[in-house]
Amino acid sequence: MPRPIQALIHTDALTHNLARARDAAPDARVWAVVKANAYGHGIERVFQALRGADGFALLDLDEARRLRELDWRGPILLLEGCFEPRDLELCSRLDLWHVIHREAQIDWLAAHKTQQPHRVFLKLNSGMNRLGFRPQAFRSAWARLNALPQVDEISFVTHFADADGPRGVEPQVQRFVEATADLPGERSLSNSAATLRLAGADARVRADWVRPGIMVYGSAPDFPENDIAHWGLQPTMTLRSQLIAVQQLQPGETVGYGSTFTAEQPMRIGVVACGYADGYPRHAGTGTPVLVEGVRTRTIGRVSMDMLAVDLSPVPAAQPGAEVTLWGRGPRGTVLPIDEVAQAAGTLGYELMCALAQRVPVLTV
């Protein structure tokens, strides 16, 4: 039989989480963000579940092509725009909308020969300081775009740095409102955190389009302040495996490379067919939560390439073949949120999703 590890993609949860974004931002249209191959879930696997979105947003031209090949005829937005002039040819051919965040992209458009003018989103650097025009240069960029016959419609976009924390978004919202005042065009500001926390009560934040990303994939954007249960989200990816061995430790015996865990009393441990070569975080130390047959326990010792060890004290009857949930949905309705595993490993749910290794079989359910 094949190695027992597998990942499950839960299409019902994807559809549910997208609906939560709509509920949180009434009257706004919704971009389903599918960058990084749909946050590691696979664009082809999530497409049917997310096709109720008003548009798809991503970075990669090849991923945009794949969406068109899936017969998506609605809007597709390139969140970082074009990377070189010839990318505009594919934008014309595939009817892609794209972000303009620097002068060179306007130059490329001005030289581009197209029969169909482009829909563009002019980006304001409102305080994130990654991409976008600073407020003092924003209007001149708009004026250049507005004069081009290659441009059909200009919309406006920015990205929040602190929608998930106490600093909040108000200074960035103010800069955006001032920079775009009296300019015609649709607006998009909200990521997942702003969509859930702010968009329902603040029409400026909600605007015309919201851009939910991580929330669509069952991760709370403001964890640990709030978890997925608080926001009514459901896990969309489960990573599960089985026990392939059981060991009985005596006091003083150690586990794994570096002997970082020492048993203080007699205990049973299980060895799981999952390691960092499968995408499980190597830096997840002793105490990282895990489910064995739906019962919460902990990892012990170092994660190795193909295996990790778990404490079987809470599940004394577990034997080889017992189901192990590394994150996601466990048996009998149990859930281990990916955010809890990520926090224990000092990272984010985003990274765990995107790091799922190619060798792990993936099933869509």
Side-chain angles (χ1 to χ4, degrees):
M1 65 176 285
R3 188 163 170 264
I5 192 168
Q6 60 182 194
L8 306 178
I9 306 302
H10 305 287
T11 56
D12 59 340
L14 288 160
T15 301
H16 170 87
N17 295 342
L18 181 67
R20 283 290 300 117
R22 286 201 184 281
D23 293 343
D27 302 322
R29 279 173 286 177
V30 178
W31 293 108
V33 180
V34 293
K35 63 181 181 176
N37 198 25
Y39 288 57
H41 290 62
I43 285 175
E44 287 77 10
R45 298 188 191 102
V46 307
F47 174 67
Q48 289 297 333
L50 298 181
R51 70 178 306 158
D54 299 291
F56 288 94
L58 41 69
L59 308 182
D60 188 89
L61 285 162
D62 183 65
E63 292 180 346
R65 177 189 55 76
R66 286 158 58 192
L67 278 172
R68 290 297 187 222
E69 290 175 353
L70 290 166
D71 202 32
W72 175 253
R73 294 293 172 259
I76 298 175
L77 176 64
L78 297 177
L79 290 167
E80 293 181 1
C82 295
F83 298 100
E84 59 182 357
R86 65 179 180 178
D87 292 346
L88 290 167
E89 298 295 336
L90 199 58
C91 289
S92 293
R93 188 161 74 248
L94 297 180
D95 188 24
L96 306 180
W97 302 2
H98 50 102
V99 166
I100 299 291
H101 61 82
R102 61 187 179 113
E103 290 285 350
Q105 293 171 322
I106 304 178
D107 296 337
W108 300 342
L109 258 178
H112 179 55
K113 294 180 173 60
T114 180
Q115 294 182 345
Q116 295 296 326
H118 290 208
R119 173 78 175 267
V120 300
F121 276 65
L122 182 61
K123 186 160 192 173
L124 176 72
N125 175 6
S126 60
M128 174 71 95
N129 289 316
R130 295 192 313 188
L131 304 179
F133 292 89
R134 289 186 175 272
Q136 58 269 31
F138 190 77
R139 293 232 166 197
S140 62
W142 177 86
R144 285 194 65 198
L145 286 170
N146 193 50
L148 293 180
Q150 294 91 339
V151 174
D152 175 29
E153 186 174 344
I154 304 172
S155 299
F156 306 104
V157 64
T158 196
H159 193 63
F160 292 134
D162 296 294
D164 58 347
R167 290 187 61 178
V169 303
E170 187 58 31
Q172 288 189 260
V173 171
Q174 286 291 341
R175 294 184 194 109
F176 185 83
V177 169
E178 292 170 6
T180 62
D182 303 322
L183 295 179
E186 294 182 336
R187 286 143 167 83
S188 178
L189 296 85
S190 290
N191 55 7
S192 288
T195 298
L196 288 171
R197 293 166 64 103
L198 304 167
D202 192 333
R204 303 169 307 161
V205 174
R206 184 168 64 250
D208 301 291
W209 292 85
V210 294
R211 306 188 306 275
I214 195 63
M215 67 169 288
V216 174
Y217 304 98
S219 175
D222 54 356
F223 185 84
E225 178 182 350
N226 294 299
D227 60 12
I228 59 173
H230 174 85
W231 293 120
L233 303 174
Q234 298 177 2
T236 61
M237 178 190 287
T238 294
L239 181 63
R240 71 183 185 187
S241 188
Q242 294 178 8
L243 297 183
I244 58 172
V246 171
Q247 300 288 343
Q248 180 71 46
L249 299 187
Q250 298 303 316
E253 291 190 317
T254 63
V255 177
Y257 289 118
S259 300
T260 60
F261 177 84
T262 302
E264 297 180 353
Q265 58 195 17
M267 64 183 297
R268 289 177 82 240
I269 68 168
V271 179
V272 184
C274 177
Y276 60 78
D278 300 299
Y280 195 85
R282 182 182 179 276
H283 43 286
T286 294
T288 301
V290 63
L291 305 181
V292 177
E293 295 291 5
V295 177
R296 181 177 285 247
T297 183
R298 58 176 180 151
T299 65
I300 55 175
R302 284 186 184 167
V303 176
S304 57
M305 180 180 288
D306 308 304
M307 291 173 279
L308 57 84
V310 296
D311 182 357
L312 295 182
S313 301
V315 274
Q319 297 293 336
E323 181 174 337
V324 178
T325 306
L326 288 312
W327 62 70
R329 299 184 186 183
R332 299 180 298 281
T334 55
V335 171
L336 177 58
I338 196 170
D339 297 319
E340 292 188 35
V341 180
Q343 182 185 45
T347 185
L348 300 172
Y350 300 72
E351 183 177 7
L352 301 191
M353 295 175 189
C354 293
L356 186 69
Q358 288 188 347
R359 79 175 187 173
V360 177
V362 181
L363 303 179
T364 302
V365 296

